[in-house]
Amino acid sequence: MTEKALSFHPLMGELLHENNTIRIDLSNSNFYLRKINLMDLNAFTDFVFQDLNNKFKYAIGGYGENRAIYARSQVFNMRDSVFRNIHLGIDIWSISGTPIFCPLEGKIHSFQDNIGFGNYGPTLILEHQLKGKSIYSLYGHLSRTDLKTWEMDANLKKGQIIGHLGTPDENGAWPPHLHFQLINDLENNKGDYPGVCGEVENPLYLKNCPNPNNWIGCTLLASINY
């Protein structure tokens, strides 16, 4: 089955469009982001959510984005204060507790709580069949309550609730959001896979982690077929 023939369930349970979603720029080129103390979670949250509370329900963006925000955590330190900075998924920012839905039928491959400042927190990886091959979808920064509901190899239906956005005290100390990523080859990883790579690694990782826009249900991002 080709991707064009597939019908994905909206990841957030509804289509994301100009009336409920705003694009957010967390790249190094964002002048306003440079003014934020990224170690101050409240300041970082205020920056991300400045247009959400009154105008929009979601903020979205990030695939292939070169970001400086990862210098806030040693999780992304490659060597000698050189930090991984290329984002390999798409982030969807909203309030904690917001449900996440399964975009395509599949099964639970693995899950774990990736504890630590700047890490994923509760993370779920699903396995799907696409074009006769396995492809994996990763959901990071979820709620610890969700961990109790997951079972290895459990089959999931398209449109089934699979998790909820976690709070900063459980999601790695981030403003509430979902990190959504597609992975062709998990390289024997379970419950975890890099969501950010270094610039030197960029071509290899972006090939293994294709743009997931078509899976989300969002009209604001350019359609990418791969």
Side-chain angles (χ1 to χ4, degrees):
M1 181 180 293
T2 66
E3 183 173 297
K4 289 184 177 180
L6 293 172
S7 174
F8 296 96
H9 189 280
L11 202 57
M12 308 307 293
E14 60 182 319
L15 291 176
L16 308 186
H17 47 74
E18 60 184 6
N19 293 326
N20 64 6
T21 306
I22 186 173
R23 295 190 67 167
I24 187 170
D25 179 7
L26 296 181
S27 71
N28 293 341
S29 61
N30 189 332
F31 172 79
Y32 297 101
L33 183 60
R34 298 178 197 172
K35 298 182 178 182
I36 304 298
N37 177 8
L38 296 174
M39 297 303 294
D40 184 338
L41 180 59
N42 290 329
F44 190 13
T45 300
D46 287 344
F47 174 84
V48 171
F49 280 74
Q50 58 187 327
D51 289 317
L52 291 186
N53 295 331
N54 299 319
K55 300 179 182 179
F56 300 95
K57 187 175 180 180
Y58 309 100
I60 192 170
Y63 179 74
E65 198 169 58
N66 189 324
R67 295 173 166 180
I69 62 176
Y70 300 113
R72 67 193 291 261
S73 171
Q74 290 300 312
V75 168
F76 305 101
N77 193 342
M78 298 176 65
R79 64 189 180 282
D80 301 326
S81 296
V82 175
F83 288 79
R84 291 181 281 141
N85 58 353
I86 306 298
H87 193 240
L88 298 172
I90 288 179
D91 288 333
I92 304 175
W93 310 79
S94 191
I95 61 173
S96 60
T98 300
I100 309 300
F101 297 79
C102 186
L104 186 68
E105 66 178 23
K107 68 177 183 178
I108 293 180
H109 172 273
S110 54
F111 56 89
Q112 68 182 28
D113 192 353
N114 294 295
I115 299 172
F117 181 81
N119 214 328
Y120 280 135
T123 308
L124 175 67
I125 298 178
L126 306 184
E127 181 178 356
H128 314 271
Q129 295 301 312
L130 183 63
K131 300 178 183 178
K133 298 181 180 179
S134 291
I135 187 169
Y136 304 89
S137 58
L138 182 149
Y139 309 77
H141 311 296
L142 302 182
S143 168
R144 288 206 175 105
T145 302
D146 295 325
L147 287 167
K148 303 175 184 178
T149 69
W150 300 330
E151 295 182 4
M152 292 289 294
D153 297 320
N155 292 319
L156 298 175
K157 297 179 180 179
K158 182 175 68 173
Q160 180 177 342
I161 293 179
I162 55 176
H164 302 79
L165 298 189
T167 59
D169 64 343
E170 60 188 352
N171 75 358
W174 294 95
H177 74 287
L178 170 71
H179 172 92
F180 178 65
Q181 181 173 337
L182 294 181
I183 306 162
N184 288 318
D185 182 2
L186 272 175
E187 304 173 64
N188 297 318
N189 285 278
K190 294 183 178 179
D192 192 15
Y193 189 84
V196 183
C197 71
E199 293 185 50
V200 175
E201 307 167 307
N202 187 7
L204 176 64
Y205 271 102
L206 287 181
K207 182 178 180 180
N208 193 41
C209 302
N211 192 321
N213 174 55
N214 290 345
W215 290 56
I216 291 173
C218 178
T219 62
L220 297 182
L221 304 177
S223 181
I224 305 283
N225 292 314
Y226 51 83

